[in-house]
C-alpha cells in the first residue's frame, strides 16, 4: 500500500490543478485556504455541532455515555466517564468512489 500524501504534496498538487495561465494560484494561497477551512470547521462544529464538506463528508460532535470498561493490565472493571467526541463520517459519494 502506498504512503499517504503529505500536506505539502497535497498543496502543490492542488496549486497546479487549480491554476490557469490567466489566474495562477500559488502554494501559499492554497495553504491559506486549508487554514481557513480548518478554522471554519472548528467554529461550526463547536457552535452547530456539525460541519459538512459536500461530496467528502461531515464532522459531527457527539456525546459518548459513561460506561463500564476493563483495565487490560489487571482485568479489573473500571468506570469510563462520559465525554464529547468528534466523529468523521464519509459521504456516500466518497465511499462509493473509494470502494468501487
Amino acid at each position: 500500500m502506498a504512503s499517504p500524501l503529505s500536506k505539502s504534496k497535497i498543496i502543490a498538487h492542488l496549486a497546479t490543478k487549480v491554476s490557469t495561465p490567466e489566474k495562477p494560484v500559488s502554494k501559499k494561497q492554497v495553504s491559506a485556504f486549508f487554514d481557513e477551512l480548518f478554522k471554519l470547521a472548528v467554529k461550526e462544529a463547536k457552535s452547530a455541532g456539525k460541519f459538512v464538506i459536500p461530496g467528502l463528508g461531515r464532522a459531527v460532535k457527539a456525546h459518548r455515555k459513561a460506561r463500564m470498561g476493563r483495565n487490560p493490565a489487571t482485568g479489573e472493571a473500571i468506570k469510563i466517564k462520559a465525554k464529547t467526541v468528534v466523529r468523521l463520517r464519509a459521504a456516500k459519494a466518497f465511499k462509493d468512489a473509494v470502494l468501487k
Side-chain angles (χ1 to χ4, degrees):
M1 190 154 118
S3 63
L5 292 175
S6 66
K7 182 179 176 181
S8 58
K9 287 182 181 179
I10 292 170
I11 289 171
H13 175 77
L14 289 176
T16 58
K17 287 293 185 181
V18 176
S19 292
T20 62
E22 303 85 39
K23 286 231 176 205
V25 177
S26 69
K27 292 178 188 177
K28 199 173 205 177
Q29 289 171 314
V30 175
S31 181
F33 167 78
F34 274 117
D35 292 340
E36 286 302 315
L37 182 66
F38 173 76
K39 289 176 189 174
L40 180 63
V42 169
K43 180 180 155 198
E44 287 297 310
K46 278 186 175 182
S47 63
K50 66 180 175 180
F51 179 73
V52 179
I53 300 174
L56 194 59
R58 68 179 58 198
V60 181
K61 190 165 79 170
H63 183 74
R64 191 178 286 169
K65 295 180 190 175
R67 58 191 164 85
M68 291 303 292
R70 193 159 297 281
N71 181 338
T74 63
E76 112 181 73
I78 58 172
K79 183 164 173 97
I80 301 170
K81 295 180 182 178
K83 61 182 173 180
T84 302
V85 296
V86 176
R87 292 191 179 135
L88 300 174
R89 298 183 180 165
K92 184 178 183 325
F94 182 64
K95 283 191 252 180
D96 291 344
V98 171
L99 301 175
K100 209 180 226 184

